[in-house]
Amino acid sequence: MPSPSANSDATETTASAEPFDGTGNIGPYSWEVLHDGTVFEGGEVGPGEEHPWTGDSSAHPAYAIANTLFEWACETALEQCRDAIVEARVEGRPEPAPVRVLTVRLRDGSGVEVVSMTTRLAYRAITEDDLDEFRDLMAAYAQEAQELEARRRRGEPPPRSPFEWPVLHDDPGGSGAGSVRTDRRDEIGHAPADPRPLNTPTPHQQMVNELREEAHELRDSVQDPEDVRHNLFRAEQRLAEAQTAEREAAATDDDSALTAAADRVARYARRVTYWHTRLADSTETYLQAAALTTEAAYRERELPTS
């Protein structure tokens, strides 16, 4: 049986005869993740497509796909539930009920269930150090927000992000790789504003508003890079701990302990890769949003004054 986590136990797996398409692969399938008997998330994966959580192709055996998804779902539930409880304790709110029983199900293209995996999750105890770590993180976020607000009230621009492009960019092809643009001050006209109803933005101001709204939507579409870095740091710590445990197990004659340690190393290595990918995506998105924000500020400074 698979062992999804050191904090999970009582795993049960059932599998029916796997569909055979000449390659032994499952082909198109549907999947569900259940938390305490209620469907938490699910979907369908078409021929040759990748699973949205794990990246596994449908061109794999059903058991292999389910096993990877099961490990991922267990790790995610354990981390998210524990983080939610830590946050509630620090903020003095009632603690949310953690997920106790997690199930993963796979069905083939005809709707026949081919694999079902279930486990009872057990959570690592939350210590004062965990609570202090969360308080320190929130304090850092609050201090940053206060500094940004103070700068805004003084009429100062926000501090330059280390990820912000040094100059504005154009990307007419939508490829995201746009070329560096030259100064466009001369392109921004100073034509007198036409009479219009009160509170109706000029076309120039409307463009500024749209740029800022687009930047806001981009940032909302991804996780904050700082949060992703925090998760990546934790994943790298766990990988390092798992690698140390693997080396210790290798020094013994316990093959089962070595196998379990190697499985943990592989799992945490996948988690590190996942957060590295998420960091690249969120950073790129924030870069695009920063370019839009810079464009809006630049254009606002050039708004017609008469």
Side-chain angles (χ1 to χ4, degrees):
M1 295 183 199
S3 177
S5 169
N7 294 327
S8 303
D9 56 19
T11 303
E12 297 177 359
T13 303
T14 60
S16 64
E18 196 166 294
F20 186 73
D21 61 0
T23 65
N25 302 331
I26 186 175
Y29 67 93
S30 60
W31 59 279
E32 288 181 338
V33 175
L34 292 83
H35 288 178
D36 295 321
T38 301
V39 176
F40 172 70
E41 192 159 353
E44 298 181 356
V45 178
E49 293 181 357
E50 295 182 348
H51 193 280
W53 285 16
T54 65
D56 280 350
S57 168
S58 60
H60 283 82
Y63 184 81
I65 293 172
N67 189 49
T68 302
L69 175 59
F70 187 61
E71 291 183 355
W72 175 255
C74 288
E75 285 294 324
T76 302
L78 285 167
E79 291 181 8
Q80 291 182 346
C81 290
R82 193 171 184 277
D83 289 347
I85 292 173
V86 168
E87 183 175 350
R89 288 188 184 178
V90 169
E91 296 180 355
R93 295 184 285 103
E95 296 179 12
V99 178
R100 292 301 182 188
V101 178
L102 185 145
T103 300
V104 165
R105 292 176 183 160
L106 256 59
R107 294 183 174 87
D108 64 17
S110 61
V112 176
E113 183 177 292
V114 292
V115 180
S116 176
M117 297 180 173
T118 299
T119 192
R120 183 175 296 277
L121 300 177
Y123 294 83
R124 181 166 52 89
I126 296 172
T127 66
E128 278 302 318
D129 287 343
D130 296 323
L131 301 181
D132 288 341
E133 179 184 357
F134 181 80
R135 291 187 185 100
D136 291 343
L137 183 64
M138 292 300 101
Y141 286 163
Q143 181 178 356
E144 182 180 2
Q146 289 175 359
E147 292 173 355
L148 289 174
E149 177 62 16
R151 294 178 70 100
R152 187 191 67 79
R153 291 182 177 179
R154 293 194 300 267
E156 300 175 3
R160 191 176 191 84
S161 167
F163 303 103
E164 187 174 314
W165 284 309
V167 293
L168 301 180
H169 287 62
D170 271 334
D171 188 12
S175 65
S179 59
V180 176
R181 184 179 64 190
T182 57
D183 195 306
R184 293 181 58 185
R185 291 180 185 272
D186 294 338
E187 299 178 26
I188 302 175
H190 292 274
D194 293 330
R196 63 190 66 249
L198 264 139
N199 299 325
T200 299
T202 64
H204 203 139
Q205 181 63 59
Q206 181 64 27
M207 179 180 292
V208 171
N209 295 344
E210 290 172 357
L211 287 167
R212 285 180 171 154
E213 179 63 23
E214 187 177 349
H216 177 72
E217 290 173 355
L218 276 175
R219 292 189 183 95
D220 276 354
S221 70
V222 294
Q223 191 172 355
D224 188 299
E226 287 303 318
D227 292 338
V228 178
R229 287 188 193 90
H230 178 69
N231 288 326
L232 174 59
F233 174 73
R234 291 197 304 173
E236 289 173 336
Q237 280 187 316
R238 290 171 180 171
L239 175 59
E241 292 169 359
Q243 289 170 333
T244 298
E246 183 183 33
R247 288 192 293 269
E248 293 173 351
T252 70
D253 295 327
D254 191 338
D255 291 339
S256 62
L258 180 57
T259 299
D263 287 344
R264 282 195 294 273
V265 168
R267 185 172 67 250
Y268 287 130
R270 289 197 297 271
R271 193 72 71 252
V272 168
T273 299
Y274 170 79
W275 286 116
H276 268 299
T277 302
R278 289 285 294 273
L279 181 58
D281 291 342
S282 63
T283 299
E284 171 61 22
T285 300
Y286 266 61
L287 281 170
Q288 295 182 25
L292 291 170
T293 300
T294 302
E295 172 81 355
Y298 183 82
R299 287 181 176 271
E300 188 169 49
R301 288 195 298 271
E302 300 296 329
L303 280 173
T305 56
S306 59

